Amino acid sequence: MGNVGCMDDTLRRVSLHSVSRAFARQWRSVGKELAEDVPASCPPVRFDLLRDSRVNGRARALIDGSGSIKSYLMTVNEGLAINLMALAVALLAETTTLSEQRKYLRIDTGDGCQGSARVLRVIDWRFSLVPQLKRLKDRNAQHVAITSSRLDFAQAAARAAMFFSMLHEMSHIVLGHVRWLYREYGLASLSETEKPGPLDAATFQALEIHADMMAASRFLSGDWDATNTHANGFGVGLLLHAIASVPQRIENYNDKKHPHPLIRFMSLYGMEVAPAEEGQAVPPHTAWRDGLVDSSRALFDIKAEYMTSGPLQDLLTSIEPGGGTTESAVTEAMMATYSDVHRILDRKVVALKEYG
């Protein structure tokens, strides 16, 4: 996670190819430090940043000759970091992104930015950006003009998303999900994009939501700064959609290999957070929720041709200023799965404690 600096409307010309790859390289050392921050009762955990262009993360148990868990490995692909940074910069270089200024944001209105107009003609936003960045470079369409404060915000959002993804994988370990899967089913790993065969989809989704909520609790504790908290929410919103690749209407949400981003979005949007302290202008949950919603609106703007009838728009139009959603505007299938997942989660949290 990082701080958003002071407002600065100095215009910068940024290469999506260069800035995203430079961003990806820094996470190996960060992940190793994070892996050391596990309870003493937990077997050792190590981290690896994989040279893989796909958007994915994984938590796995390493088994010794006797069949016991000797340690854990959590991995995140470079592709995730590259996608997140390129997407964040391209979005913030669009003047429509955050055009309705939050009073607490230290970010300019984007006047003078020249965002992804040329990029949009080359990029297919439904798929991983990694193999497409080379095409941008070859066609001399990789640069965007972005102000310094917007670039700072994009970097802070991408850092938050990466940190959240690593906390999510660690949560699978600390909460006992990986140990439980191994003990009960003989499975040694959990992937962000592949449902373990023996598990029903709703139970798998409950494990993912459980890990999400523990990871988010690190963002929703401690000292509050509205701009940075908003950037955290914005980045996590980008992550949910990056993992899903194509937010679209799916009639049966239980058929997903991984929780649909809207189910994860609703769970994180509704998390209980600390109340505002006396004299605090912006309550913590307001900045967090604003960030989640703003990233989804920005994504909808650039992906509109793929999402015009999708549930993301249903959800965005149903979120009321006072918080909460109106079920009538959201597909019944999604709401039913959301309810199923949280009922399973309520039961599993108790059952998993002996594995954590």
Side-chain angles (χ1 to χ4, degrees):
M1 292 184 293
N3 295 331
V4 182
C6 298
M7 187 180 295
D8 182 353
D9 61 359
T10 303
L11 203 59
R12 299 180 60 179
R13 190 167 181 264
V14 175
S15 160
L16 292 182
H17 184 273
S18 299
V19 75
S20 59
R21 291 193 173 277
F23 175 76
R25 287 193 291 268
Q26 66 185 269
W27 290 98
R28 191 177 304 278
S29 59
V30 176
K32 288 180 179 179
E33 291 177 11
L34 183 63
E36 296 173 356
D37 185 28
V38 296
S41 58
C42 182
V45 177
R46 65 183 182 88
F47 171 81
D48 196 8
L49 182 70
L50 301 182
R51 290 193 171 183
D52 189 321
S53 66
R54 292 171 295 181
V55 172
N56 202 6
R58 184 183 295 271
R60 62 178 297 190
L62 302 178
I63 313 302
D64 63 20
S66 67
S68 299
I69 297 175
K70 63 177 181 179
S71 61
Y72 292 100
L73 173 66
M74 61 176 189
T75 61
V76 173
N77 291 356
E78 280 187 351
L80 178 60
I82 292 170
N83 269 270
L84 287 169
M85 188 60 181
L87 182 57
V89 173
L91 286 178
L92 268 296
E94 289 291 329
T95 55
T96 55
T97 301
L98 300 180
S99 58
E100 297 179 6
Q101 284 289 293
R102 308 290 187 186
K103 292 181 179 178
Y104 53 82
L105 287 182
R106 296 189 297 274
I107 183 173
D108 64 89
T109 57
D111 292 341
C113 285
Q114 296 173 3
S116 50
R118 287 195 302 165
V119 173
L120 282 170
R121 290 199 291 268
V122 182
I123 286 288
D124 187 331
W125 296 96
R126 295 172 295 176
F127 303 107
S128 172
L129 304 184
V130 177
Q132 301 185 70
L133 290 175
K134 179 65 165 60
R135 291 208 301 274
L136 284 179
K137 188 175 182 181
D138 291 344
R139 299 186 190 190
N140 197 29
Q142 62 168 321
H143 288 89
V144 295
I146 184 172
T147 58
S148 293
S149 64
R150 282 177 166 257
L151 180 60
D152 286 348
F153 185 94
Q155 291 172 328
R159 283 194 295 269
M162 277 298 290
F163 193 65
F164 181 92
S165 70
M166 291 191 294
L167 286 172
H168 174 96
E169 300 308 327
M170 178 176 283
S171 296
H172 279 312
I173 295 169
V174 173
L175 291 171
H177 300 168
V178 179
R179 182 183 292 272
W180 174 72
L181 277 172
Y182 180 64
R183 294 275 183 88
E184 298 295 321
Y185 298 101
L187 300 172
S189 70
L190 263 174
S191 165
E192 281 300 295
T193 57
E194 183 179 353
K195 180 181 77 66
L199 281 186
D200 64 276
T203 298
F204 174 52
Q205 292 188 24
L207 297 182
E208 294 300 312
I209 296 299
H210 195 199
D212 275 352
M213 295 177 81
M214 183 174 183
S217 67
R218 291 283 291 268
F219 289 90
L220 304 176
S221 60
D223 295 332
W224 281 95
D225 175 279
T227 301
N228 295 328
T229 302
H230 179 275
N232 292 343
F234 192 97
V236 171
L238 294 186
L239 174 66
L240 300 186
H241 293 285
I243 289 173
S245 294
V246 194
Q248 59 183 327
R249 184 177 296 281
I250 299 172
E251 297 305 325
N252 183 354
Y253 286 78
N254 269 341
D255 285 344
K256 289 288 288 181
K257 288 184 177 181
H258 200 268
H260 191 279
L262 296 187
I263 295 176
R264 302 179 77 177
F265 179 106
M266 292 170 68
S267 301
L268 292 169
Y269 184 90
M271 281 189 67
E272 295 292 331
V273 296
E277 298 177 0
E278 185 176 353
Q280 196 171 26
V282 180
H285 66 271
T286 298
W288 169 253
R289 291 175 176 175
D290 284 349
L292 287 169
V293 171
D294 285 344
S295 65
S296 294
R297 290 193 185 282
L299 282 160
F300 184 82
D301 286 343
I302 67 165
K303 293 188 175 185
E305 68 177 281
Y306 311 118
M307 300 169 61
T308 50
S309 62
L312 175 60
Q313 183 65 9
D314 292 346
L315 182 64
L316 291 178
T317 56
S318 72
I319 293 175
E320 300 169 337
T325 61
T326 55
E327 290 191 21
S328 60
V330 184
T331 59
E332 292 182 6
M334 185 184 73
M335 290 305 300
T337 299
Y338 174 83
S339 298
D340 287 345
V341 165
H342 278 268
R343 277 196 295 271
I344 292 169
L345 181 58
D346 290 341
R347 296 196 303 271
K348 284 291 182 207
V349 167
V350 176
L352 286 168
K353 282 185 177 178
E354 65 177 285
Y355 295 94

